[in-house]
Amino acid sequence: MITPSELDLLKRAQAGDERAQGALYDLHWRSVYLYALRLLVDSDLAKDTAQNAMVKALASLKTLDHPKALRSWLLMIVRNEVFTILRTKRRNGVEPLEQHMDVLVENRTPLEDVMNGERSEIIRQALENLKPAFREVIVLREYEQLSYREIAAVTDSTESAVKSRLFHARKVLLEQLRPFFRERSTS
Amino acid sequence: MTCLEHEEHISRYVDGELSEGESGSMFAHLTVCSHCRSFMRELLWLRAELMSEKEKTAFDLAMQDAEAKHLAGVSWTTPVRRAGWSSRRVSLSLPITAVIAILLLLTSALLTRAIVETPPPKEVILISLPTVEVQGYRVEATPTVRQ
C-alpha cells in the first residue's frame, strides 16, 4: 500500500527531482537491505546488493507504470541482483535459489547450538537454515507483508506455487523450532 | 480431506487467503482434530516470533546506523581559546597538539636543567699593595687575588 505522500514523492522522483529520489532511497533502503540480507545471509554482500538494486531502480524509475506496485517492483529488482550473485556463487560451487528443492534445510548451524541464546537469535538461525527459496517466501509474507499475488509477481511464479511453497516452508521452520516451542509452552 | 490438506488451509487462513466456505470446513475439522489445532497454535506462535525477530533486527540495524553516524560525527580536534579571540575556535589535529605539548615539555625541562646546573659567579677581590723601597731597591708588591 502506497501513501499519498509517497505517491507524490514517487511522481517527483520520476520527473527527475533528485531530492525526491534521495528521499525515496531513504524510505526504502532498510526494507530493500533487509530483504537482501535475509536471502544472502551476509551483511556486506547484502549492503552492496541493496545499493546496486536501489541505484538501478532509481535509474529506471520512469519505467514503473504502476506506482502502487513500487514495493514489489523494488523487491523484484533486489531479487534479480541476488540471483546474479547466487549465479556467480554457483560457478564457485554454491547452489542458487531454485536448485535442490527436495533438500529442505541447509544445515548451516544446528539449532541446538543456539538454543541457549536469545529467542530472536534462535528464530534467525532457523530462518537462515531454510533453503533460500523457502526463506524468500517467508520473508516476503511475514516481514514484507505481501499478498500471495504480490509474492508471485516478485518471485515470477504463480499464486498456487506461492501458496504451496509458503506452506512447506512453514512446516520445515516449525519442524526445526518445535522443540523450542514445546519448551516455551511447558515453561 | 486429509490433515495435510487441512494444514495447508490453516496456513492460508493465517494469511487471510482462505475463502469463507473453506474457513467453515477448516474450523469444523479443528473441533475434532487435536493435531491440526496444535498446528494452528504453532503457526500463530511462529508468526508472533517472526514479528518479534523482525522488530529486534530493525532495532539492531537502527542502533548500528546511529552508532556509525555518531562515530562519523566525532573528529579528533582540540579547541584552543586565545585572549581576545573568544568568539573564534582554533582547531588543531591531535598529532600536532601532541607534538607541540612534547616540545613544550622538553623545552621547559632543558631550561630547568640549565638554571639548576649553572654555578654562581665567583667573588673576586683585588688587593693592591703600595710600592716600597727597601735598602735602595724598589719592591713592587704583586697583586693577590682572594676568593
Side-chain angles (χ1 to χ4, degrees), chain B residues 98-112:
Chain B
V99 168
I100 291 171
I102 290 167
L103 284 174
L104 282 171
L105 278 171
L106 281 173
T107 313
S108 67
L110 287 171
L111 279 172
T112 309

Side-chain angles (χ1 to χ4, degrees), chain A residues 30 33-34 38 118-120 123-124 141-143 148 163 166-167 170-171 177-178 181, chain B residues 7-8 11-12 15 17 39 42-43 45-47 49-51 53-54 56-57 61 65:
Chain A
R30 184 155 296 168
Y33 166 65
L34 276 175
R38 303 284 186 199
E118 238 183 298
R119 248 162 83 176
S120 57
I123 300 292
R124 197 174 301 160
R141 176 64 216 157
E142 304 289 0
Y143 292 171
Y148 286 5
K163 203 188 305 176
L166 196 52
F167 170 60
R170 282 171 170 156
K171 290 275 279 183
L177 292 167
R178 191 157 283 132
F181 172 71
Chain B
E7 281 179 349
E8 191 173 359
S11 174
R12 281 167 53 203
D15 289 330
E17 300 259 358
F39 181 73
E42 287 177 345
L43 219 51
W45 168 82
L46 177 65
R47 166 158 289 181
E49 290 295 333
L50 285 169
M51 286 309 290
E53 194 278 328
K54 179 192 173 186
K56 170 83 170 53
T57 305
L61 280 176
D65 283 357

Side-chain angles (χ1 to χ4, degrees), chain A:
Chain A
M1 191 65 191
I2 191 164
T3 61
S5 62
E6 196 183 342
L7 194 62
D8 174 57
L9 200 64
L10 176 61
K11 279 180 182 164
R12 283 194 286 127
Q14 281 183 317
D17 182 340
E18 284 185 6
R19 290 183 92 179
Q21 287 179 0
L24 211 58
Y25 183 101
D26 290 343
L27 194 65
H28 290 280
W29 161 252
R30 184 155 296 168
S31 159
V32 161
Y33 166 65
L34 276 175
Y35 181 48
L37 180 66
R38 303 284 186 199
L39 296 185
L40 292 166
V41 199
D42 179 327
S43 60
D44 289 335
L45 202 57
K47 244 174 224 170
D48 290 345
T49 308
Q51 223 146 29
N52 287 344
M54 286 303 282
V55 168
K56 279 186 184 172
L58 289 176
S60 55
L61 211 53
K62 282 178 185 168
T63 64
L64 176 65
D65 295 328
H66 305 289
K68 285 182 182 172
L70 173 65
R71 271 183 68 220
S72 315
W73 182 72
L74 281 176
L75 295 175
M76 202 152 47
I77 293 174
V78 183
R79 189 176 188 268
N80 288 340
E81 285 295 304
V82 169
F83 259 108
T84 308
I85 286 167
L86 290 177
R87 264 197 294 273
T88 315
K89 277 190 166 186
R90 184 175 56 161
R91 278 186 224 121
N92 301 326
V94 181
E95 300 298 339
L97 283 182
E98 312 296 10
Q99 292 283 311
H100 295 285
M101 286 291 289
D102 51 327
V103 183
L104 300 177
V105 178
E106 284 201 323
N107 289 326
R108 277 208 188 88
T109 306
L111 211 56
E112 290 74 26
D113 288 1
V114 287
M115 273 302 190
N116 295 324
E118 238 183 298
R119 248 162 83 176
S120 57
E121 186 52 40
I122 292 165
I123 300 292
R124 197 174 301 160
Q125 195 58 62
L127 205 57
E128 284 177 13
N129 285 349
L130 281 182
K131 284 293 292 178
F134 282 178
R135 192 161 63 233
E136 179 181 48
V137 284
I138 291 281
V139 168
L140 291 173
R141 176 64 216 157
E142 304 289 0
Y143 292 171
E144 299 299 329
Q145 312 268 299
L146 298 190
S147 67
Y148 286 5
R149 184 182 291 183
E150 287 171 319
I151 298 173
V154 171
T155 58
D156 195 23
S157 57
T158 63
E159 275 186 62
S160 66
V162 169
K163 203 188 305 176
S164 166
R165 199 174 289 177
L166 196 52
F167 170 60
H168 286 107
R170 282 171 170 156
K171 290 275 279 183
V172 175
L173 203 50
L174 277 178
E175 205 59 51
Q176 285 194 82
L177 292 167
R178 191 157 283 132
F180 181 63
F181 172 71
R182 289 200 176 132
E183 190 183 288
R184 303 288 305 178
S185 50
T186 52
S187 61

